[in-house]
Amino acid sequence: MPYPRINNPRIKGVQIYRPFGNPLPPPLHPFISPIPLTLSPSVYGSTATPLDPHNRPSNIPAEHTHQWTVYVRGIDDTDISYWLKKVQFKLHETYPNSSRMVESPPFEVTETGWGEFEVQLKLYFVPEANEKAQTLWHPLKLHPYGPDAEAQKERRDTIVSQNYEEIIFNEPVEPFYDILTSGPPPPGRGKGAKGSKQAAAAAKKLGDRSAEIPLEESRDNPYSVRTEEAELLRLKEAIRTVEGMRRQESAVLLEKEKKLDALKREAVEREKAGQQQQSG
Ligand code: SLL
């Protein structure tokens, strides 16, 4: 279903991105660090586990050797559904219904199979974004490699393969910019809100908080040194945006002043010419 095209103007000169991977740069001083805004970080990738030959799920083809999950999610499972609406996973054509649309989080597909292949991930953004879907590719990994591969196989270790990337929104429309810069809605509210159990756990956590904020945020507590740094970066980004607008405005002003000067000079020339005609 096509999104309604909303004719919001794009914010000129602004580029905003969703990083995939490491959420924040190493803690540099936010006013020195030239690192752009990083807000709701996400990762995409897959995990794969060899099936236990003595305990295979029923109803799966005999040649299937692994169970795997391919996913797009926030770091530490933070909510990303405030900007990511749905994800289409395109599997290898050997799978029935190889195109799988996941309309709400968790954005993931779990299957069993025997072979590795490239999964196509098509990311659809919230309608406010007025953005086309973006496509990523993830090579599904089932088998370990490297010096420890044999031992890993022996232990039937889960193979994790995660990708890091940034999604860049060039000159976003204002409503989407607001959504991105406001971050996820607080737990218990909004689209990505989890059940009340989690909200209760979060409330309990807040009850026994100390004066110090933790270094890392957790599922239950979004406040941390890192989120504080993110907030500072966000402010820095806002300052940069305003500074950009100010520069644009002063360029316009300068141009107008030049024109005014030229007009004034022209008027003086005309007056002079008029006087010369009268006296001549
Ligand atoms: C390969 N080029 O040869 C790849 C193809 C296909 C993966 C991998 C089973 C699907 C099904 C499956 O694992 N397909 O039978 O339901 O390695």
Side-chain angles (χ1 to χ4, degrees):
M1 186 184 66
Y3 291 139
R5 304 297 287 188
I6 308 159
N7 282 328
N8 278 304
R10 289 188 175 268
I11 309 173
K12 294 283 171 213
V14 169
Q15 203 179 55
I16 188 161
Y17 69 91
R18 297 293 87 181
F20 277 85
N22 197 7
L24 285 173
L28 292 170
H29 191 286
F31 294 104
I32 299 170
S33 131
I35 290 146
L37 177 77
T38 51
L39 285 174
S40 175
S42 326
V43 294
Y44 68 98
S46 60
T47 59
T49 316
L51 294 169
D52 180 349
H54 307 294
N55 192 14
R56 286 172 63 87
S58 50
N59 307 327
I60 61 161
E63 65 276 18
H64 285 197
T65 54
H66 289 73
Q67 174 161 331
W68 51 258
T69 300
V70 59
Y71 56 81
V72 179
R73 59 169 82 120
I75 293 264
D76 290 336
D77 244 346
T78 46
D79 179 26
I80 52 172
S81 64
Y82 67 101
W83 59 271
L84 185 62
K85 186 170 190 295
K86 57 183 182 179
V87 179
Q88 185 188 49
F89 296 85
K90 271 205 181 142
L91 312 180
H92 193 265
E93 66 219 8
T94 46
Y95 281 92
N97 310 315
S98 59
S99 174
R100 314 275 175 93
M101 186 65 96
V102 180
E103 309 252 0
S104 59
F107 300 112
E108 61 182 42
V109 169
T110 297
E111 266 292 355
T112 59
W114 50 263
E116 299 181 331
F117 60 93
E118 295 259 333
V119 184
Q120 188 193 332
L121 307 162
K122 207 165 169 189
L123 274 51
Y124 291 84
F125 307 105
V126 293
E128 292 90 335
N130 204 18
E131 291 282 345
K132 275 190 281 185
Q134 289 196 29
T135 300
L136 303 169
W137 292 90
H138 172 69
L140 174 66
K141 243 177 77 58
L142 302 184
H143 309 294
Y145 69 98
D148 199 31
E150 281 314 308
Q152 278 183 288
K153 259 189 214 165
E154 199 73 26
R155 292 192 300 262
R156 283 207 296 273
D157 280 356
T158 295
I159 305 299
V160 180
S161 166
Q162 229 165 240
N163 290 274
Y164 301 95
E165 225 188 79
E166 289 158 2
I167 293 218
I168 296 175
F169 300 110
N170 247 329
E171 302 189 336
V173 295
E174 245 174 59
F176 191 44
Y177 183 81
D178 290 345
I179 286 172
L180 291 172
T181 50
S182 306
R189 257 178 271 165
K191 287 178 211 160
K194 305 259 170 73
S196 57
K197 239 191 210 168
Q198 208 176 332
K204 190 187 165 292
K205 264 260 169 71
L206 285 177
D208 49 47
R209 69 187 160 191
S210 80
E212 287 202 312
I213 58 170
L215 194 61
E216 307 268 347
E217 66 270 34
S218 63
R219 197 187 277 248
D220 297 325
N221 177 21
Y223 305 104
S224 68
V225 173
R226 280 153 74 102
T227 49
E228 200 178 48
E229 280 172 353
E231 186 62 34
L232 285 169
L233 285 173
R234 187 159 31 195
L235 289 172
K236 195 175 140 272
E237 183 73 12
I239 291 169
R240 209 155 62 173
T241 305
V242 171
E243 175 57 19
M245 286 158 78
R246 194 195 61 76
R247 254 188 247 151
Q248 243 172 15
E249 286 303 318
S250 38
V252 171
L253 185 64
L254 198 72
E255 211 47 48
K256 290 203 167 141
E257 275 174 350
K258 269 191 206 158
K259 263 190 198 151
L260 185 64
D261 262 353
L263 285 172
K264 274 186 187 161
R265 247 178 281 134
E266 216 179 282
V268 170
E269 292 311 323
R270 274 206 198 128
E271 206 170 319
K272 263 195 213 158
Q275 277 168 4
Q276 271 169 7
Q277 247 177 19
Q278 267 177 17
S279 63

